[in-house]
Amino acid sequence: MRAQDVFEMLILAALWGASFLFMRIAVPALGPVPLIALRVSIAALFLLPILAMRGGWQTMRPHWKPLLVVGLLNSALPFCLFAYAQLTLAAGFTSVLNASTPIFAALVAFVWLGDRLTMLRVVGLCIGVCGVALLVSGTHGLSWSQSGGAVLAALGASASYGVAGAVTKKYLTAVPALTVATGSMVGATALLALPAFWLWPAQMPSLQVWTSVVLLAVGSTGVAYILFFRLVSRQGPTKAMSVTFLIPLFGVLWGALFLGEALTLNMVLSGAVILLGTALGTGFLKFGRKAGAGAA
């Protein structure tokens, strides 16, 4: 991997890790649905001119149905679930839960798409599940009655990402990546517009909240998509996917630096277990010359 690609991967991980920081700041004032409606609509406005400059307008219309489904499963639903979770959970903690996404993706690909699971990948998935259980067992002193719904929402978001990946692979493989990104954002905007209108807060949010919203939408969504798809085009999806292993590091770092969140031993250990399980379960970490296939 070239030095430029490594640098861009670090920037991408920092941007995606920062999304948990921005949501944690903005969601108490806006609420989950209005916040995410703003995130996807601003990101769509950011991506649409780029798609237009590349002559990609006509590539969205024939695929509007699967793009709408991906908009729901890859943006609208998981973003809202993560935002809801962050009403209770710390940004760093939630980012570690997000690391379970490839585990769900591998399971969905096995059940729905018939992707092969070697014994090593099965062991990895089991290790990842144990890591999630270890992490949940130490939810920063909160009881299950206080944090259980938030934890389930975050895991539901990760599962939704896994289903969205399978939908994309099955129905949108031949569609340009920028079209999928832009079309899914437009679809998510359409799905959330009316609910956001009804749930809009009565009090005008502060400048800090609006700044977090813009950074979340433009930096952690629009720019991040561009960087990710550039990495996919240069290095392929398997190597680009390795950014997943870096996101929790930045999520925890930003939470500690800007929100004063604590980094506990349980988070470090469980995060390491989740990442090990994810690396094995997706086939990113292989042993032997004929190990299982790449990431699902």
Side-chain angles (χ1 to χ4, degrees), residues 5-174:
D5 293 333
V6 173
F7 176 74
E8 290 188 1
M9 182 171 290
L10 289 172
I11 297 298
L12 177 59
L15 288 172
W16 273 344
S19 68
F20 296 95
L21 166 68
F22 299 140
M23 283 192 289
R24 180 64 173 163
I25 292 172
V27 71
L30 284 166
V33 176
L35 169 62
I36 300 310
L38 287 170
R39 175 181 184 176
V40 296
S41 60
I42 296 173
L45 291 174
F46 177 79
L47 290 169
L48 279 169
I50 300 174
L51 183 66
M53 286 187 294
R54 298 186 180 183
W57 280 105
Q58 299 303 318
T59 59
M60 285 200 299
R61 184 178 299 175
H63 307 284
W64 71 268
K65 290 182 179 179
L67 286 173
L68 185 64
V69 174
V70 172
L72 171 65
L73 296 176
N74 200 57
S75 299
L77 179 59
F79 288 177
C80 285
L81 288 173
F82 272 130
Y84 170 77
Q86 291 204 255
L87 289 170
T88 304
L89 303 178
F93 184 90
T94 313
S95 72
V96 177
L97 280 176
N98 181 59
S100 65
T101 294
I103 297 175
F104 288 104
L107 289 173
V108 172
F110 170 70
V111 173
W112 187 15
L113 303 179
D115 283 12
R116 186 170 64 93
L117 283 180
T118 64
M119 182 58 65
L120 183 63
R121 294 183 68 183
V122 172
V123 171
L125 294 176
C126 293
I127 292 174
V129 171
C130 291
V132 172
L134 178 63
L135 178 66
V136 171
S137 68
T139 50
H140 298 284
L142 296 174
S143 66
W144 180 252
S145 62
Q146 294 174 302
S147 62
V151 169
L152 291 176
L155 292 176
S158 296
S160 185
Y161 284 142
V163 177
V167 172
T168 303
K169 184 175 182 180
K170 188 174 181 66
Y171 297 107
L172 296 170
T173 301

Side-chain angles (χ1 to χ4, degrees), residues 235-255:
Q235 297 294 333
T238 300
K239 288 186 178 180
M241 183 187 171
S242 60
V243 70
T244 303
F245 308 128
L246 299 173
I247 293 173
L249 303 179
F250 284 99
V252 171
L253 176 63
W254 300 145

